[in-house]
Amino acid sequence: MTRLLTSKLISIGTLAVALLLLAAPALADDVASIPDSADERARTSFSEFARTWMAKMEENEAQNRENPTVQPGPSENIVTYRGFDEGFTVELRPTGHPTAPFVGILRYNEQVYSCDGVDASKCTVASSLPVTEIFRYQGGRWVY
């Protein structure tokens, strides 16, 4: 009985070790992909900064819509204003320089709206232009 129990324990132990060895590369990849705490703080900080920046762009768009550009056209006035797409992406890159250890890259689309009237109530996107903004992290804050 003792020999049978010992044999089963060895089989279970051998199986556990084999499974652990098979899983080791995947576990190592997970550990290697855990970002450095400074990197993670910078990434979180830049994401928050980008959301704030884009909120300011929304405010600018609202002001632009209230005061559209009006230019004489061949048959009627051309009414336009500048706005921004809701979506944006962020990217963080280390610089290797201690005074500015990271740069943050913010990408979004700037749009020009064409409107039927001066009140800018019926507008459509006339053109869209990709924008890339680059900020450096210096002195504990993001700088344009």
Side-chain angles (χ1 to χ4, degrees):
M1 173 101 169
T2 309
R3 183 175 266 174
L4 180 61
L5 185 57
T6 304
S7 173
K8 287 193 181 221
L9 287 176
I10 290 172
S11 294
I12 292 172
T14 304
L15 179 61
V17 169
L19 289 174
L20 186 58
L21 289 173
L22 287 173
L27 292 173
D29 287 344
D30 288 345
V31 171
S33 67
I34 295 173
D36 178 287
S37 62
D39 286 0
E40 188 59 36
R41 283 192 308 269
R43 188 175 317 286
T44 300
S45 172
F46 186 63
S47 292
E48 290 171 12
F49 174 82
R51 280 192 293 277
T52 301
W53 182 270
M54 292 308 294
K56 289 177 187 174
M57 294 291 102
E58 279 184 42
E59 291 173 11
N60 288 345
E61 179 176 341
Q63 291 173 355
N64 293 343
R65 188 177 189 137
E66 289 175 15
N67 301 301
T69 302
V70 180
Q71 298 177 340
S75 59
E76 58 185 36
N77 288 336
I78 299 170
V79 180
T80 60
Y81 74 91
R82 190 176 60 149
F84 307 92
D85 191 358
E86 291 178 12
F88 65 92
T89 61
V90 295
E91 181 181 347
L92 186 74
R93 291 189 185 168
T95 64
H97 299 287
T99 56
F102 299 99
V103 293
I105 302 167
L106 171 63
R107 291 183 177 91
Y108 57 91
N109 289 316
E110 180 179 290
Q111 298 174 321
V112 174
Y113 291 87
S114 177
C115 307
D116 287 342
V118 179
D119 63 350
S121 59
K122 285 185 167 182
C123 305
T124 58
V125 175
S127 65
S128 186
L129 178 70
V131 176
T132 301
E133 305 268 11
I134 300 174
F135 305 87
R136 71 181 181 278
Y137 189 71
Q138 188 170 7
R141 62 187 192 97
W142 291 98
V143 181
Y144 184 61

